[in-house]
Amino acid sequence: MSADTPHRMLSSRGEFHDALRAAFAQAASLGCREIWLSDNDFSDWPLGEIAVVEHLTQWAMSHRKLTVLAQHYDDVVKRHPRWVAFRRQWSHVVECRSLEEAEPGAIPAMFLAPGVVTVRLFDAENYRASVSSELADAVRAKEALDAVLQRSSEAFPASTLGL
């Protein structure tokens, strides 16, 4: 995203995926203290791609935090094994939360790196989305996410210990 276009609309699956890939790359190169990811199940995100996981690994440091919110993580395990491995390795940086009783559309689909970039999917069926570097868009996105996070609980542990 260039400084000339701080906000633009997206209208296809390819544009949405490209915007997410670019957002992960931007967060890695520019740095930011926190990243929030939210979606019902992340089934249609490029989370498991090598480049995305490499960008997250480049971004991850002990003083940073990645918060992930989903209704459930079944599709993440099936579709994004590289990201699951990243989550395991960087469990001290990654917090996964769930809102299992969410109604359809209650969990906003977004990538939020305040001060860097916000990607929001408004209409999953038609892939209407936006990508923005404007602070006001980040504030609105964070407010929408906070409202949902307040009702969420910890989920998707990095490892499961059995007896």
Side-chain angles (χ1 to χ4, degrees):
M1 166 149 268
S2 73
D4 299 342
T5 57
H7 183 98
R8 70 183 164 95
M9 298 305 293
L10 311 173
S11 60
S12 73
R13 181 177 189 257
E15 286 180 329
F16 176 64
H17 285 186
D18 288 346
L20 288 172
R21 289 179 190 107
F24 282 109
Q26 256 186 303
S29 68
L30 298 177
C32 56
R33 186 170 172 82
E34 293 184 276
I35 295 175
W36 288 273
L37 307 177
S38 70
D39 191 78
N40 281 335
D41 58 14
F42 295 98
S43 63
D44 193 33
W45 282 50
L47 283 181
E49 292 181 2
I50 292 171
V52 169
V53 172
E54 286 175 352
H55 290 308
L56 277 171
T57 302
Q58 180 185 349
W59 167 83
M61 295 181 190
S62 61
H63 67 281
R64 294 187 171 166
K65 183 177 179 185
L66 171 63
T67 303
V68 183
L69 173 67
Q71 187 168 6
H72 59 82
Y73 289 89
D74 301 339
D75 284 329
V76 172
V77 173
K78 291 177 197 170
R79 296 174 186 252
H80 309 300
R82 284 185 190 97
W83 188 88
V84 173
F86 165 84
R87 191 266 185 278
R88 203 173 299 120
Q89 180 180 357
W90 291 94
S91 61
H92 58 289
V93 173
V94 181
E95 177 186 10
C96 292
R97 303 197 57 86
S98 175
L99 187 63
E100 293 180 9
E101 302 300 319
E103 299 202 8
I107 299 175
M110 75 171 71
F111 174 107
L112 174 59
V116 178
V117 65
T118 303
V119 180
R120 288 190 74 174
L121 180 64
F122 298 105
D123 177 358
E125 188 174 317
N126 298 304
Y127 285 96
R128 291 202 172 86
S130 70
V131 58
S132 175
S133 60
E134 294 179 358
L135 184 58
D137 288 332
V139 169
R140 282 190 293 276
K142 182 67 169 87
E143 288 172 353
L145 190 55
D146 280 343
V148 179
L149 280 169
Q150 291 174 13
R151 299 176 309 191
S152 70
S153 58
E154 288 187 38
F156 195 49
S159 63
T160 54
L161 301 174
L163 296 175

